[in-house]
Amino acid sequence: MKIISKIWLLGILIFLAESVSAAGEIAVVAHPSVAGGAVSQARLVNLFLIPGASWPDGQVALPIDLKLPSSIKADFYQLVSGRSQNQLRTYWARQVFTGAGTPPVELNSALEVIRKVSTTPGAIGYVPRDAIDGAPVKVLAILPDQIK
Amino acid sequence: MFRETEYFHIGYAQLAVRPALPVYSKLSAISHLDGGDVRWQFEGGDWVYALQLFGGNASYTHQTYLSGYEPLRAKVDQLHGAVVKAMSGNFTFRASHTQVGTTRYESREIRAVNDAISAAASGLRAAGQAAQADLLEAYRNPLDSRNLHYSSLGIDWQPGDWQLIGEMTLLNPNSRMIGVSKAWQMTVGRSFGNITPYVLFSRQDTKTPALTEAAFAAPGLGGLRDELAAVIKRGDLTMRSLGVGVRYELKSELAVKLQVEKLRWNVPYVGNENQGGEEVPRATLVSLVMDFVF
């Protein structure tokens, strides 16, 4: 009986550990038609912060943001670009007033991001890893582990 | 012309309180351009390259900040140039080159100088000194320039919480009265949450042109010569600045900045010598600003 209890407890601990890990992970997802597989950190920054940046096959990227106060958004940009939300606001003010471009489109939820990415060629977004759940999107990276 | 856009006037978009005076003080007057531009962006590996070509004309009012002097009405024609940018991740390198066909200035004081030169030149011609009259008449519209060149190199680098912004510029107005100037600036900041302290250093060196003394050799032209020499002297913006500041993100899209900047000029006066202008070769500029965007 004691052995069964210990195995049960161990199982619960493993489950909790995996849940915490999954909750903290961010999946970078793109439309299935985008060229290539894994993306570098520099390219991710380019895709989200340089208006008009494109995929290796020349297709123009359509980055999609999660609307604040999503902590996913803050975590994503901190991991990828090292920039805080304040720094990003300053950066986009510069882009807007030089006419270089505007920030990515913002959607309210991970579900909306997945729906948009899966139906829009060239689209790229980021969502909690556990939100993908078999959605028809290409997973380019799982952050923070697969960032290089 | 990298900073010759609305961004130049948007404090929130700048890390520091204002663009470095030694570098940008000569450029900030042109606030708009009536013309067009075309931008081509392409990629190679992890780099994004952008080429922007632009051209047009501009007219603006150039403030003199001298009491009793009329602001200059400036007309810039045949301005054209190119900006090249290379961007990868948090690093941006840019280079630009701009040329201006003609720059013309007009004001009450310039008309007075022109009238004085015309009268003196007429007298010289009547006295059979046509060669000297030609030399003198070359100083009509003394601030105008032909074939102005402006080049710049700059970097923006933001590794993690650090920020590095630098720029070098070369301005050759090809003018009889305004000298060639080289300038550069470097700003380094480090973010600690909502607080970003920064330091900045910038300087400009101007090589002032010399008057053609032979043009003023005739008796009675000493006063005109001295007046033009004073204009050249005022155009010498050789200066340097060293500053420290802190930017605090008070709220979303609202930043408060405190900056202390030490400025040092080479010219013996800055400002209004007509009112007894004190010699101010150094100044400490303390700025407290609140910037926001919406």
Side-chain angles (χ1 to χ4, degrees), chain B residues 223-240:
Chain B
L224 181 60
R225 184 214 167 279
D226 292 345
E227 196 166 324
L228 292 177
V231 172
I232 289 178
K233 207 173 180 183
R234 277 201 296 271
D236 182 357
L237 291 180
T238 297
M239 62 190 293
R240 68 184 69 171

Side-chain angles (χ1 to χ4, degrees), chain A residues 21 24-29 37-45 76 79-80 129 132 138-148:
Chain A
S21 171
E25 290 182 322
I26 299 170
V28 181
V29 295
V39 289
S40 66
Q41 183 177 2
R43 180 168 286 274
L44 273 181
V45 176
F76 171 75
L79 281 168
V80 168
R129 181 181 188 176
I132 303 173
K138 180 184 274 190
V139 179
L140 299 178
I142 300 294
L143 308 181
D145 296 338
Q146 295 175 10
I147 198 163
K148 57 178 180 178

Side-chain angles (χ1 to χ4, degrees), chain B residues 144-149 171-180:
Chain B
D144 288 6
S145 69
R146 281 185 180 277
N147 201 22
L148 175 149
H149 293 254
L171 175 66
N172 182 355
N174 271 326
S175 161
R176 283 183 167 274
M177 304 288 287
I178 305 169
V180 176

Side-chain angles (χ1 to χ4, degrees), chain A residues 118-137:
Chain A
S118 65
T119 57
T120 310
I124 179 171
Y126 50 87
V127 292
R129 181 181 188 176
D130 53 10
I132 303 173
D133 195 25
V137 291

Side-chain angles (χ1 to χ4, degrees), chain B residues 161-226:
Chain B
D161 291 325
W162 289 90
Q163 292 183 61
L164 172 69
I165 305 158
E167 191 143 43
M168 292 172 61
T169 65
L170 172 66
L171 175 66
N172 182 355
N174 271 326
S175 161
R176 283 183 167 274
M177 304 288 287
I178 305 169
V180 176
S181 58
K182 295 175 185 174
W184 63 273
Q185 71 97 3
M186 184 73 71
T187 306
V188 180
R190 165 74 158 89
S191 293
F192 300 91
N194 287 337
I195 298 174
T196 307
Y198 58 84
V199 294
L200 53 91
F201 182 74
S202 60
R203 69 177 292 161
Q204 179 192 140
D205 294 291
T206 303
K207 188 178 178 185
T208 53
L211 282 173
T212 308
E213 295 294 342
F216 306 93
L221 294 180
L224 181 60
R225 184 214 167 279
D226 292 345

Side-chain angles (χ1 to χ4, degrees), chain B residues 5-279:
Chain B
T5 64
E6 292 301 315
Y7 154 54
F8 197 90
H9 304 284
I10 307 299
Y12 184 85
Q14 321 261 358
L15 172 61
V17 166
R18 66 181 67 80
L21 287 173
V23 179
Y24 303 109
S25 58
K26 282 191 173 176
L27 308 174
S28 58
I30 302 177
S31 62
H32 67 279
L33 189 66
D34 298 323
D37 71 304
V38 59
R39 182 184 160 101
W40 179 43
Q41 187 166 301
F42 57 98
E43 299 188 27
D46 284 340
W47 287 84
V48 179
Y49 304 93
L51 170 67
Q52 187 174 11
L53 306 174
F54 53 86
N57 302 321
S59 55
Y60 63 96
T61 300
H62 192 100
Q63 300 296 335
T64 63
Y65 303 108
L66 294 173
S67 174
Y69 281 69
E70 203 177 65
L72 302 169
R73 287 176 294 284
K75 205 163 179 315
V76 176
D77 290 321
Q78 298 164 36
L79 185 152
H80 56 281
V83 180
V84 179
K85 273 188 189 182
M87 301 161 277
S88 181
N90 289 318
F91 183 83
T92 299
F93 171 80
R94 59 184 174 272
S96 80
H97 183 72
T98 303
Q99 286 189 235
V100 177
T102 56
T103 307
R104 296 188 178 86
Y105 295 96
E106 211 267 330
S107 75
R108 184 180 62 216
E109 284 71 30
I110 289 175
R111 283 195 300 277
V113 167
N114 286 346
D115 290 346
I117 287 175
S118 294
S122 295
L124 288 169
R125 286 187 202 287
Q129 294 178 294
Q132 195 186 344
D134 289 343
L135 287 176
L136 188 59
E137 286 197 313
Y139 282 96
R140 281 177 56 83
N141 298 305
L143 298 179
D144 288 6
S145 69
R146 281 185 180 277
N147 201 22
L148 175 149
H149 293 254
Y150 170 74
S151 304
S152 72
L153 292 173
I155 58 164
D156 279 7
W157 188 33
Q158 196 162 336
D161 291 325
W162 289 90
Q163 292 183 61
L164 172 69
I165 305 158
E167 191 143 43
M168 292 172 61
T169 65
L170 172 66
L171 175 66
N172 182 355
N174 271 326
S175 161
R176 283 183 167 274
M177 304 288 287
I178 305 169
V180 176
S181 58
K182 295 175 185 174
W184 63 273
Q185 71 97 3
M186 184 73 71
T187 306
V188 180
R190 165 74 158 89
S191 293
F192 300 91
N194 287 337
I195 298 174
T196 307
Y198 58 84
V199 294
L200 53 91
F201 182 74
S202 60
R203 69 177 292 161
Q204 179 192 140
D205 294 291
T206 303
K207 188 178 178 185
T208 53
L211 282 173
T212 308
E213 295 294 342
F216 306 93
L221 294 180
L224 181 60
R225 184 214 167 279
D226 292 345
E227 196 166 324
L228 292 177
V231 172
I232 289 178
K233 207 173 180 183
R234 277 201 296 271
D236 182 357
L237 291 180
T238 297
M239 62 190 293
R240 68 184 69 171
S241 81
L242 177 64
V244 294
V246 61
R247 175 185 172 122
Y248 175 54
E249 311 293 339
L250 185 63
K251 289 177 70 176
S252 171
E253 296 164 353
L254 174 59
V256 175
K257 300 175 199 167
L258 174 64
Q259 182 173 307
V260 180
E261 195 173 4
K262 290 266 188 191
L263 296 148
R264 182 178 170 185
W265 286 265
N266 262 23
V267 290
Y269 53 74
V270 173
N272 184 0
E273 75 266 33
N274 283 349
Q275 292 182 347
E278 295 176 27
E279 292 195 356

